[in-house]
Amino acid sequence: MFEWGYWRWQIIRCLPLGIVSALLLAATGWSVLEANPPKYTASARIVLERNVGLGGTSKAQRTPEEVQHLQVVAHALKADFSATQLSTDAPFDANIESSRDKPTYLTIQSTMPDATAAVALVQTLSLRAIELSNGFQQQSTDLKVNKLRESLRDATARLTTAEGDLRSHSNQAPDLRIEELQDQESRLRATLRAAESKSAPENPEVAKLYGELATARGLYSDLHPKVRLIKTRIDQAIKQSPAGQTGQDLRVVKQRIQDIDAQIVAGKDHQVTTGRLNAAVSSAKARVEATDDRLQAAMRANEANRINLRVVKDASLTGRNPAKVRVALLATIGLAALLLAIGVAALRIRFDARLRRPRDLHDALGLTPFATLPDLGPSLG
């Protein structure tokens, strides 16, 4: 038979103690939760790819160079991030996952009290890691090809100089070809031989022109326009001279023959110099082409061995939702407080040494009461 009155009285008697115990436990648990706010963990995964042949693959054979490249990127990322004010409040980890038959990954993870801030930070760090990787490889490429680029610049400068010298020399080419000069010399020699026995009045105009030619040669070269003009005037004067030739005219013809000989020698020298300059231009062009081919080959080799980083998993929250975990912890604390209240009440009833009902008298002394007073209720108690 259930003793309702007895248990009602025990519940009323132990209720304050149970409530106090439950409140103490609940307050302690709540304080602990407040002292440890929820933190959200976000992560992103970056895969390492390397160009092989004409395409890229993420499962190329792993080399120590690739792992070292990721380590350099991770250290540079931490050094770059440690310089900011967020480094103490928003730490992050950069872990390298590498195996023989699987792709090599760089995992970036950050834990922060704000979920949006954690995702944004990981996203920023992922993009920064790709920028650092490209920057390091560009520096390495520049170091390898800078020497070839410098050689190409030197070869191009030499080619430009050689072409300029050739153009300048070509502008000073003689007016007549060597064959024409030789033909004029033959005619003059024939005229000289035919007129050696004849006499004629001296041609003062030709003598004057030869005096001007001697003066011009003292100031200019034989290729100067003024010298050429005087020679042309001499030729015209000789052609217009009378048939008879004096001794003075024969000397003029001989001087003209000497001039033509000098022009022939100068023309031959000009041809030799032209050939030498053409050879220098050809050599410079060949050197420029060879250097450019080496440069292009080096750039293609660097591009073929280029390491690419690509985000395969965007920044997102990982693990269980801290908000749901917090609700579960609050429910656990409430249940624990309820169990504590029940346990405290049970212990108080269990260790109560007073006689509260007839069965306690029988259990403690082995006596059976003859009668009990009825429960008169609260009005007559």
mmCIF file of all heavy atoms in Angstrom, residues 21 48 55 100 191 227 328 362:
data_model
loop_
_atom_site.group_PDB
_atom_site.id
_atom_site.type_symbol
_atom_site.label_atom_id
_atom_site.label_comp_id
_atom_site.label_asym_id
_atom_site.label_seq_id
_atom_site.Cartn_x
_atom_site.Cartn_y
_atom_site.Cartn_z
ATOM 1 N N SER A 21 20.246 22.625 -4.770
ATOM 2 C CA SER A 21 21.318 21.829 -5.381
ATOM 3 C C SER A 21 21.266 21.914 -6.902
ATOM 4 O O SER A 21 22.299 22.069 -7.584
ATOM 5 C CB SER A 21 21.211 20.372 -4.923
ATOM 6 O OG SER A 21 21.306 20.277 -3.520
ATOM 7 N N LEU A 48 47.968 20.490 -55.249
ATOM 8 C CA LEU A 48 49.163 20.822 -56.026
ATOM 9 C C LEU A 48 49.091 20.082 -57.354
ATOM 10 O O LEU A 48 48.920 18.863 -57.392
ATOM 11 C CB LEU A 48 50.418 20.429 -55.256
ATOM 12 C CG LEU A 48 51.765 20.793 -55.900
ATOM 13 C CD1 LEU A 48 52.784 21.111 -54.824
ATOM 14 C CD2 LEU A 48 52.296 19.645 -56.754
ATOM 15 N N GLY A 55 49.494 18.886 -70.843
ATOM 16 C CA GLY A 55 48.390 19.061 -69.911
ATOM 17 C C GLY A 55 48.857 19.018 -68.489
ATOM 18 O O GLY A 55 50.027 18.801 -68.193
ATOM 19 N N ARG A 100 52.173 8.917 -51.988
ATOM 20 C CA ARG A 100 52.783 8.536 -53.260
ATOM 21 C C ARG A 100 51.766 8.440 -54.387
ATOM 22 O O ARG A 100 52.024 8.862 -55.510
ATOM 23 C CB ARG A 100 53.506 7.200 -53.085
ATOM 24 C CG ARG A 100 54.242 6.747 -54.344
ATOM 25 C CD ARG A 100 55.050 5.505 -54.078
ATOM 26 N NE ARG A 100 55.794 5.098 -55.267
ATOM 27 C CZ ARG A 100 56.577 4.040 -55.321
ATOM 28 N NH1 ARG A 100 56.732 3.280 -54.243
ATOM 29 N NH2 ARG A 100 57.222 3.742 -56.435
ATOM 30 N N THR A 191 93.702 57.878 -125.345
ATOM 31 C CA THR A 191 93.807 59.280 -125.754
ATOM 32 C C THR A 191 95.200 59.823 -125.481
ATOM 33 O O THR A 191 95.773 60.596 -126.279
ATOM 34 C CB THR A 191 92.759 60.109 -124.995
ATOM 35 O OG1 THR A 191 91.451 59.586 -125.239
ATOM 36 C CG2 THR A 191 92.799 61.567 -125.432
ATOM 37 N N VAL A 227 84.585 67.351 -103.809
ATOM 38 C CA VAL A 227 85.648 66.739 -104.605
ATOM 39 C C VAL A 227 85.058 66.076 -105.841
ATOM 40 O O VAL A 227 85.588 66.168 -106.960
ATOM 41 C CB VAL A 227 86.447 65.743 -103.750
ATOM 42 C CG1 VAL A 227 87.486 65.028 -104.598
ATOM 43 C CG2 VAL A 227 87.129 66.465 -102.587
ATOM 44 N N ALA A 328 22.962 21.019 -26.750
ATOM 45 C CA ALA A 328 23.065 19.686 -26.147
ATOM 46 C C ALA A 328 23.719 19.758 -24.768
ATOM 47 O O ALA A 328 23.302 19.056 -23.826
ATOM 48 C CB ALA A 328 23.864 18.765 -27.065
ATOM 49 N N HIS A 362 8.811 -0.699 13.227
ATOM 50 C CA HIS A 362 9.006 -2.143 13.078
ATOM 51 C C HIS A 362 10.373 -2.462 12.535
ATOM 52 O O HIS A 362 11.044 -3.411 12.975
ATOM 53 C CB HIS A 362 7.902 -2.715 12.169
ATOM 54 C CG HIS A 362 8.006 -4.201 11.966
ATOM 55 N ND1 HIS A 362 8.776 -4.768 10.970
ATOM 56 C CD2 HIS A 362 7.469 -5.254 12.667
ATOM 57 C CE1 HIS A 362 8.695 -6.078 11.040
ATOM 58 N NE2 HIS A 362 7.883 -6.411 12.081
#
